[in-house]
Each structure stands twice: as C-alpha cells, then as structure tokens.
Amino acid sequence: MRFNLLLLSHRSLSRWSIGRKYFHSRNPIYKQKKKDVHPKEPAITRFAPSPTGLLHLGSLRTALYNYLLARNTGGKFILRLEDTDRKRYHEQAESNIVDTLEWCGIHWDRPMFKQSLRTTEGLYAKYVDTLLKKRVAYKCFCSKERLVSLRHEGYDRHCERLTEEECNKLEHEQKRPYTVRLKMDKGAIYVNDLLHGKVLIVERKERRGFDDPVLLKSDGYPTYHLANVIDDHLMGITHVVRGEEWLSSTPKHLALYEAFGWTPPKYIHIPLLTNLSNDKKLSKRHGDSSVLGLKNAGILPEALVNFVALLGWSPPRDFSQKTHECFTLDQLVEIFNLNHLTKGNVKVDNKKLKFFNKHFLQKKIHSKEINSLIKTLIPECKTKFDPKIISEKLIREILIKCGSSLNSITEFTSTFEYFFQRPIYLEEYGSFINANNRENIIKLVAYVREQLNSKKDIHQILENVITDRHERQDLNKQTVYKSIRYALTGLGSGVKLPVIVDILGLKSTQQRLQDFEYYLQNKLKL
C-alpha cells in the first residue's frame, strides 16, 4: 500500500494539508469491486450559497447535484441562504440566486431559509451557550491587532485561560467586544468522503498555535462554520454535495458535530472546475462563468443544465451513446447516481455547451415552444429593422426553414438580417467578382431575373444556366451560385438559395437582382 500526499495551496487550506490513500495496482484490495455509495433511502440535501455575488457555474453545479440526488431518491431539496456575512451581502445577489435556480428549473422544497433571520431569532446564540457550558468553546476578547500579530504562528489560546469572573468583567464592566471560539485539539483528522474515500487532513506543523475557529462574531452573527452545522443538523440533511475547496473546512465541522453530540451528514466533495486553456480554477469574477452572462448570451436553461451536469459526472455509457449525452432535467433525475461522479479536476469546454444549446434550440423551433422564441425576437427585430415589415409569420417562417444554422437565438438578427433589409455588398464576400467576369455576371443576373417570371424554381434556373453554355457565359458553377447568393444576401454562404427566394418572395427577389445589376454596372464604370 502506498500513501501519496496531496498538498493544496496555503490560502485554501490555512493550516491544513490533505493526504489521500492510494492503492498499488498489485494490491488485491485495489481490484475489489467499487463500493456502492448511492443512497438507498430518500436523501435530504441543500444548496446553501452566500449572496455576495452572481451565481456562477461552480455554484450552479453544486445546486444541480444536490437537487438531482434528492429527486432521484425521492428525498427533499432545501434552499438556504447563508447571509451572515453582512459586510459582503448584496440584495441583488440574493434575487439572482433565486431567479437563476427558477430559470434552470431547479425547484426547491419550500420554504427558503435565511440564516440572518434565524440569527435575529436567537437560534445560533442558544447553541453557542451550550458549547460554552460544555467548556468546548470559550470567549475571546483579543484585539484585532493582537490577532494579526499571531496570524502566522497560530492563536495561543490566551483567552481560554480566563476565569468566568474575568470574562464577566471584560464583557459587562469594560464592554469589550468578544468572539466565541471552538477548541480544536486534534492535529490530524480523517474525513470519510463518499467520492474520495478516507481522506487524512493534517494540521500544518510550522504553526505552534491552535486553529480554534471563531463560531460567533463580535457583531453577534454566527460564522459560516457554526451556522452551517447547526442548520444541517436541524434540517435533517443526510448528504452534503459541495466543492472540493471546502474539504479543508470539514475538520471544523466534524469537531462541531462531535462537540454537540450529533451525527454528521455524508460528505461528497466534487472536483474543481478549471479553464480549458490554462487548467486554472474557473474564477467567480470571470464574466463568462456567471450564469447571468451565459443567459444573456442566448444559452438556453436546458442546455446549461445538461452541460453543467456533465462537469464531474458521467452517465451510463449505453444511455449516453443513444442520446449523444443530450439529457433533459427529468432524464438527469432518473439516471443520476453518485457512483458515476469523477474525481479529477474538470476542464470547462464551452464548445460542448454550444453543441447542447443548438440541440435544444432546434427542439424548441420544431415544437410549440417556438411561440416563446418568436415573442422574444419580435421586440428585438422591431428595434433593429423597419417595424412595418416585422411579423410573427415572417419570423416563424425563417426559424422553421433556416433555424438549423443557429447555435443561439441571439444570432437570429445578425444571421438573417438580409431577410429584413436590402443587403450591403462588402468586398470581402464579393472578391470573386473581377474585371474579366463582371460583364458576364451582369448578364447572368439579368437572365435569372427574367426567368423568375416563368415561376421556375431558382435551383432549376441556375442548373439550366450551368448546363447551357450560351447562357452560362463561361461562368463556372461556383461563380454562378455565388453571384446569385451575393446579389440576394450580400454574403458568400448560408441558407440554400431556393429557401431564400421562397422567404423573400418573387417581387423582392427580382428587385434585389435588379439592384445588384445596377451596383455592378456603376462599379464597372468606375
């Protein structure tokens, strides 16, 4: 048996390092069947974000996994806002969390809990008094300056030695502010994690002091560690799915459970999300990682949920192959299983998100949900184009006949603007026109315009041009099709020509061909 030591950063671990047990491939234990960790009884889970900023991909994944675990097992999913950090609290962040979960279809079992309200009701203070009476916690009156001077060495438990009389004097007579600390005496703690197994977390040796975490702040608000443990216990949380960065905090939580005499929930610490380019942690401050930013970019909630579900979890292979990994939220609930979680850091590849978005967009276009897409597009189209030509019928026709080229609904107005306004002939798309073929292209366009009066299909007309050398005017097939497309759209590629003519209509098509003739004739004179 071999032991490898995985050291995390100084910032993330404070004074702890983490070691994991790894088995040599020759060891018979290594070849044993993987333990089934998926619960057989209803799981009670929670999503407990701090409303200090916009909800990002990592937090959405945490919410989703907790939701899927609860729904898959027939349990409960609780939303709890851990808003005790009043200095960083933002009301907009709170509404963003709620709106984002609703938008993604991640519905919690009401009511929603707020730790700030539970604080004013005196809930956490009551449990702090219990710890003080048990003498597993103590009041700390040390000044900020003194604590800063001990930051690198660790706290020396100066206040733990104070008598009850001395504490009363400092608190009531001198009105000195204080915090409440938990006594942490263990230098090494094993954490049983359902994903990583038995994890050894060791206190950093270079610090001589103690890591006695603050439970109650001087403003009367509980710290994350205290409120988290109390609420999880009172709410009957059975499983906690959270990011791997919280693994180093778990010893504090286990110590609190032990101090209260409570049974802790089962922990599942999921791997970090990293950038595809540099393998660094996906930052909350990066605009692209916020769910709101993705929503504004036209990402559909179904696509985002599908994408996020696969960031650290793999569905059964046979099921995955049949669906190309495209799952609805209901399907994810049905197949979600903790045994399929992955351990390594996850690289976020937005190409896959675009693939899922296109898949679900096409499903919407070819279903009753196209009506909601149209309602979204009408105001935008009326703002960008002449409102007189904007109609639900036209937008519907474009979506049904041309929507397969869209990756996002936000691409609609830029991709299909030529359906709403006459094209602008840019040199970059018309580079195939030169002094040698311009006259022939003019004759081609005039011929096609005349032939359209016979109500022939545009594709048939162009094929006739290509097979008839006289009408073709020595233009190759590529130039023939490019010329007509450029005349009608101002682009070099895109929707098939018969579809373009069908949507534009005969009159508009002929007018654009005539305008293009005029454009080429004037350009020729120049």
Side-chain angles (χ1 to χ4, degrees), residues 44-46 78 80 231-240 257 263-266:
I44 302 176
T45 66
R46 46 74 167 176
I78 295 170
R80 184 178 77 220
D231 282 339
D232 279 353
H233 171 73
L234 295 180
M235 294 174 185
I237 302 300
T238 61
H239 293 76
V240 173
Y257 277 106
T263 301
K266 292 179 171 61

Side-chain angles (χ1 to χ4, degrees), residues 113-170:
F113 295 93
K114 298 177 70 171
Q115 287 184 340
S116 57
L117 296 178
R118 295 162 75 82
T119 299
T120 56
E121 293 168 357
L123 174 70
Y124 306 112
K126 179 181 71 173
Y127 285 96
V128 169
D129 288 340
T130 299
L131 296 177
L132 289 171
K133 289 176 181 177
K134 285 187 172 184
R135 297 188 181 276
V136 292
Y138 59 93
K139 295 178 180 179
C140 177
F141 296 89
C142 291
S143 65
K144 290 183 179 179
E145 293 75 18
R146 186 173 191 279
L147 294 175
V148 168
S149 68
L150 297 170
R151 180 175 295 171
H152 297 293
E153 293 187 359
Y155 187 58
D156 59 0
R157 285 187 178 169
H158 171 77
C159 294
E160 193 267 337
R161 296 185 291 270
L162 295 175
T163 64
E164 186 175 347
E165 184 180 349
E166 289 173 322
C167 286
N168 288 332
K169 184 177 181 181
L170 290 169

Side-chain angles (χ1 to χ4, degrees), residues 41-54:
E41 300 295 328
I44 302 176
T45 66
R46 46 74 167 176
F47 177 50
S50 298
T52 56
L54 298 178

